[in-house]
Every structure is written in C-alpha cells, then in structure tokens.
Amino acid sequence: MNKKLLAAPIAMAAALGLALTGCSTDGGTAAGGDGGLQIDVPDVPMMEKLGANEKELNIVAWSGFVEPAWADKFTADTGCVVNRKVAATSDEMVQLMRTGEYDLVSASGDASLRLIVDGNVQPLNTELIPNFGDDIVEGMKGQLYDTLNGNVYGIPIGRGANILEYNSEVVTETPDSWSVVWEKDSPYAGKIAAYDSPIYIADAAIYLMEHQPDLGITNPYALDQEQLKAATELLKQQNAMVSEYWSPATNVTSFTGGNSVVGTSWEVLRKATQDEKFKSVLPKEGATGWSDAWMLATDSKSPNCAYAWMDYTSAPDVNGAIAMNFGMGPANGAFCELSDEAKAHCDYFNATDEEYYKQVWFWTTPIDQCLDGRTDVKCTNYQDWTNAWATVKG
C-alpha cells in the first residue's frame, strides 16, 4: 500500500460533489437484499464469455476512484488504456452514461437503480470476475440497488454511513438520537448542518419511521404521497434551524468554521476536521448511507476491458487503495488483513462490521413501484422527491 494514499481522503472529500447510494427491503431491516421483490427491467443480455481486450476503456467515476497509482499498472497488464471522466453528482453520471460514450461507471445507489430500470446497464456474469468472491463483504452483495430479479448489475467498491457529527465542546452530552437536528425545540437551532440533496428526504423518513409509526413507513425509499408529504413537512421544520446545506466540499469548513455544531456528515469528512473535539455517532434510529459499484453500459464498446477492470479493482490491494484514497470501507474484506495500516482504516470505517451496517439504509433511487413490496398504492419517484426538495429549500 502506498502510504501517500493516507493523506488523500481529505483532499478527495473536499473535491467531491456527491449524491451517493443504496437501500434494501429485507422485511424492513436496513441491510438486506431484495426480499423477493420483482421489479420490471428491460431484458438486456449478459456476457457469456470473454474475448480479446479492446484498446481503451472509458470510465465515469467519482474523484479518487481511478488514479494513475493503479490505472497505469492495469494498462500495462491488459493493454487497455483508461480514460477517466470525473463526475460531480449522481445525476451527472446518469446523464453521461446515457450518451453511450462510456463503458463503466462507479454508480451510487441513487443512480444505479435508474440505470438498471432504464436499460442503460447490463447484468454481469460474476463467473468472469474471479475477485468477486468470498472476500467481498456480505453486506455489499445482493443489495436491491445493484442486484435485481436474481441478476447482479454492480460489482461493489466501497460503502459508508451518514453519521451524526457534533462539536463536543458545544454538544457536551453525546447525542443518541437524530432529534437534535429534527425537533424544533433543539438547543442547536441555527447551528445544524444538513445534506444538500433530494435523497436527504430519506433521512427524514428514517426519523419518522421511529417517531411517527402510524405513518406506516417501513422503507425510507418507498414513500407514498402522504408519507412524502410528512417527510417534506419535517424537512421544512428543520429548514428554519439549518445553518448550512452542505456538499462534501463545504461540510468540513461548516464545522471547523463554527457555522455548524451538529448535523449529518460522513466519517471521512469528520476525520478531515483534524480536531478531537469533533466526534460522531450512529444514532438509535439508524441512518442512511451510501454504497458504490462498478456498472457496465449496455452498449459498451469495450466490455472485455471493462470486465478486466472490475476484476482488477476487486482485488484486495487495489480495492483497498481506492477505499483509502476516497475515504470509505472497502468492499473486499481481505484488504483489512494486509497490514496494520489497512486494519486501522477498516476499523475506522467499520468495513467488516455487519452489525453496524444493519442500522444503515443505503441510498437508492425511489421509483413508482414501491420498494417495500406494497402493490395497493403508487409510490413517489425521484422526480417527485426533487420537486419536494425544491419546496423545502424555497
């Protein structure tokens, strides 16, 4: 492992503008599979065998996922020249993949389901990806955001939770609930940080699942009109208390500059504050989170290079390099045993702690079909959430 990668998460986090991933529907639990749910998707064929590598590979990726430190070796080994396009948001990734100019994307859950349902990506033959094996952490296999109707559409890269960060010099008692950011009597009103994205509606839904059970929410990404209305009202209530709606580029300065003292964050961003007074906790209600996966374009011009890349980056050392560079738990748990440095990284990001991630609802795209299995109502989709978010922000 290149020790220079240790410093990279801070720089990478400051450069990102992400809207990251996932969800599940395993009887209402956070970290689970599709629960037998069938979703209508286009019938796209899967590759049965590999052929000769093409000359180049065009990838849409988050900043920090495709770097010369590992891409150059891949090119030397395979002859596939890697061309990287950095995307700032999941919406941008979806738009780029729909142009037909890219082979692979490092999709997050709020992008991946859209790509699958619209037929933009193809199911993957995992037998052609040897490193997609026993060492991939169980909680990143078979998730609804990249595995549908028995078909795998995404090869896991890494994951993280959206934790509650707080300034312990101001928030002197460790909070155990998200109530400090949602309830209008919060003593920290005016100093609360919130994530700037429609997918943040799911955070409100998780809080309502616990505190307003009569709403009947069992999956924060499966909201009917009334449930979405309730979440939107809670967000509007919070809006009056928010100091800043953050992107990864502004989260750190919001806390270190004193503009915010409590709010949603990522472990890598909390770590980037480089001050022991900033602490974090996963509250009792659970949390949203994100998980990224490589996905192959339906009309890829370089599918053999793409399969080679997915296998190469799933190996423990390369997957770990990506995870350390970005700041997340790696998908390949074997990385955690490679060195003391790797173990420390995995411990910090709870990489192999499935009990921890059972409390996390990974971001995924809300669609008309209810992801909680209901068939008697139509659920709200991502456009509905985008419209609702506009009313929250004013």
Side-chain angles (χ1 to χ4, degrees), residues 328-394:
M328 60 184 173
N332 193 319
F335 165 74
C336 303
E337 307 302 322
L338 294 184
S339 67
D340 290 342
E341 180 183 53
K343 185 179 186 305
H345 175 88
C346 289
D347 288 347
Y348 185 85
F349 288 98
N350 303 286
T352 60
D353 186 350
E354 296 304 333
E355 290 302 312
Y356 177 86
Y357 281 108
K358 282 181 180 179
Q359 306 170 75
V360 177
W361 291 86
F362 291 107
W363 288 354
T364 201
T365 312
I367 58 175
D368 291 338
Q369 186 174 348
C370 293
L371 300 178
D372 58 6
R374 286 181 293 169
T375 58
D376 57 338
V377 296
K378 178 183 176 181
C379 276
T380 53
N381 58 37
Y382 191 73
Q383 185 59 55
D384 296 323
W385 285 36
T386 301
N387 295 340
W389 183 244
T391 69
V392 172
K393 295 288 295 293

Side-chain angles (χ1 to χ4, degrees), residues 5-46:
L5 294 177
L6 282 174
I10 296 173
M12 291 303 163
L16 299 176
L18 308 185
L20 297 177
T21 99
C23 104
S24 66
T25 58
D26 187 10
T29 59
D34 64 12
L37 184 69
Q38 293 290 307
I39 294 178
D40 295 333
V41 299
D43 186 14
V44 178
M46 178 179 68

Side-chain angles (χ1 to χ4, degrees), residues 4 33 231 324:
K4 292 182 179 179
M324 291 188 72

Side-chain angles (χ1 to χ4, degrees), residues 278-363:
F278 295 105
K279 302 184 183 301
S280 62
V281 64
L282 186 65
K284 61 185 180 182
E285 297 92 352
T288 57
W290 45 270
S291 179
D292 297 325
W294 298 115
M295 306 189 84
L296 176 59
T298 297
D299 55 358
S300 169
K301 299 178 181 63
S302 301
N304 295 289
C305 282
Y307 265 87
W309 175 265
M310 288 187 286
D311 187 51
Y312 172 74
T313 55
S314 296
D317 56 341
V318 182
N319 180 247
I322 296 172
M324 291 188 72
N325 200 39
F326 187 78
M328 60 184 173
N332 193 319
F335 165 74
C336 303
E337 307 302 322
L338 294 184
S339 67
D340 290 342
E341 180 183 53
K343 185 179 186 305
H345 175 88
C346 289
D347 288 347
Y348 185 85
F349 288 98
N350 303 286
T352 60
D353 186 350
E354 296 304 333
E355 290 302 312
Y356 177 86
Y357 281 108
K358 282 181 180 179
Q359 306 170 75
V360 177
W361 291 86
F362 291 107
W363 288 354

Side-chain angles (χ1 to χ4, degrees), residues 19-25 37 39-41 62 89-95 98 107-121 143-148 197-202 219-223 228 288-292 295 361-373 379-386:
L20 297 177
T21 99
C23 104
S24 66
T25 58
L37 184 69
I39 294 178
D40 295 333
V41 299
W62 299 122
T89 67
S90 286
D91 287 345
E92 182 183 0
M93 285 189 171
V94 171
Q95 292 167 3
R98 287 174 176 168
S108 299
D110 57 335
S112 56
L113 193 53
R114 280 183 276 174
L115 293 169
I116 297 169
V117 171
D118 290 345
N120 303 125
V121 293
Q143 295 294 325
L144 177 58
Y145 48 81
D146 60 23
T147 304
L148 292 182
S197 170
I199 206 70
Y200 184 59
I201 290 172
N219 182 316
Y221 305 101
L223 305 181
L228 177 61
T288 57
W290 45 270
S291 179
D292 297 325
M295 306 189 84
W361 291 86
F362 291 107
W363 288 354
T364 201
T365 312
I367 58 175
D368 291 338
Q369 186 174 348
C370 293
L371 300 178
D372 58 6
C379 276
T380 53
N381 58 37
Y382 191 73
Q383 185 59 55
D384 296 323
W385 285 36
T386 301

